[in-house]
């Protein structure tokens, strides 16, 4: 394993924050957390996550949620398209997949509201797929590390960075830990700026 990968994972084991969705046995909970965390800070998400799961504990319950209940549970998080897409995806999973999330990033990306980053996060954390996450914080960290000047708000450049990261995530024992370490490091550095 590459030396920086080992240092990253060692750092993560000691620095990772406790979060109600970390180590959760249910992929549904990880999915909900990843959707909530889009464009929202971790500390804001914590209480919403717990209330949302109490109201909608599984995919079938979410699939039949009324607009009023759905929007009430999300109230204050903003970007309401996220929760509407969450319900659309739940409805699709109930209709087509026995209310089970797909196990690969490629299949997850076919669901409403799930892009490359969210798909990689869910697939690696829940199912061990070696698919790297690339969000804004991760891009900033590795752009600095590698002295890259590309605009990582553009999808082709994010894919290029994901391709660079792929050999590293493929040699670690836990792709989910690798991705969570990158997310944690990116967030840590972002908070220090």
């Amino acid at each position: 394993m590459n030396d920086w990968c080992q240092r990253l994972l060692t750092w993560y084991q000691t620095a990772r924050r406790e979060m109600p969705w970390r180590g959760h046995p249910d992929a549904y909970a990880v999915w909900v957390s990843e959707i909530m965390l889009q464009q929202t800070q971790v500390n804001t998400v914590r209480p919403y996550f717990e209330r949302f799961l109490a109201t909608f504990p599984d995919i079938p319950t979410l699939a039949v949620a009324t607009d009023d209940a759905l929007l009430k549970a999300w109230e204050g998080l903003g970007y309401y398209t996220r929760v509407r897409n969450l319900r659309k995806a739940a409805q699709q999973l109930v209709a087509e997949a026995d209310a089970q999330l797909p196990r690969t990033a490629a299949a997850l990306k076919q669901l409403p509201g799930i892009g490359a980053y969210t798909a990689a996060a869910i697939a690696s954390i829940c199912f061990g797929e070696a698919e790297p996450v690339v969000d804004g914080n991760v891009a900033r960290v590795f752009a600095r590390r590698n002295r890259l000047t590309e605009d990582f708000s553009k999808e082709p450049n994010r894919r290029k960075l994901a391709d660079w990261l792929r050999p590293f995530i493929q040699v670690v024992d836990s792709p989910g830990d690798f991705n969570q370490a990158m997310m944690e490091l990116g967030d840590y550095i972002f908070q220090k700026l």
Side-chain angles (χ1 to χ4, degrees):
M1 180 185 325
N2 183 290
D3 183 51
W4 76 261
C5 288
Q6 186 59 55
R7 288 193 323 258
L8 174 71
L9 290 169
T10 299
W11 170 82
Y12 174 68
Q13 293 305 317
T14 60
R16 69 179 171 205
R17 295 170 288 175
E18 291 302 316
M19 298 179 193
W21 48 86
R22 262 202 188 134
H24 200 289
D26 186 1
Y28 168 71
V30 174
W31 173 36
V32 169
S33 74
E34 288 299 329
I35 298 300
M36 286 184 167
L37 288 164
Q38 294 170 359
Q39 301 172 316
T40 308
Q41 293 183 348
V42 168
N43 288 336
T44 302
V45 168
R46 287 176 195 268
Y48 284 94
F49 172 80
E50 291 170 350
R51 285 193 305 264
F52 194 88
L53 280 192
T55 305
F56 308 111
D58 54 34
I59 291 171
T61 305
L62 177 59
V64 297
T66 66
D67 280 345
D68 287 345
L70 190 69
L71 297 176
K72 182 68 176 165
W74 201 265
E75 190 174 46
L77 278 176
Y79 303 100
Y80 290 93
T81 300
R82 293 181 295 171
V83 74
R84 288 185 178 103
N85 280 334
L86 196 63
R87 181 178 57 188
K88 280 183 197 172
Q91 290 167 340
Q92 183 176 332
L93 291 170
V94 166
E96 300 172 6
D98 197 30
Q100 298 297 309
L101 278 166
R103 300 178 64 88
T104 67
L108 285 160
K109 283 191 286 189
Q110 302 306 308
L111 294 171
I114 297 183
Y117 171 84
T118 303
I122 297 166
S124 66
I125 293 167
C126 300
F127 306 116
E129 184 177 13
E131 185 63 30
V133 297
V134 178
D135 70 351
N137 290 337
V138 170
R140 280 192 287 276
V141 167
F142 287 96
R144 286 183 184 141
R145 180 195 183 278
N146 298 333
R147 296 183 177 94
L148 304 173
T149 58
E150 287 91 342
D151 178 358
F152 288 101
S153 67
K154 298 186 182 207
E155 186 59 31
N157 294 331
R158 285 180 188 245
R159 278 196 309 272
K160 184 175 164 183
L161 184 53
D163 290 342
W164 181 83
L165 287 166
R166 195 163 283 107
F168 298 106
I169 196 172
Q170 290 173 339
V171 298
V172 299
D173 291 333
S174 175
D177 282 352
F178 179 86
N179 276 339
Q180 289 181 92
M182 291 198 314
M183 291 184 265
E184 192 83 30
L185 179 63
D187 191 56
Y188 175 80
I189 290 172
F190 178 74
Q191 297 299 325
K192 297 293 182 188
L193 297 177

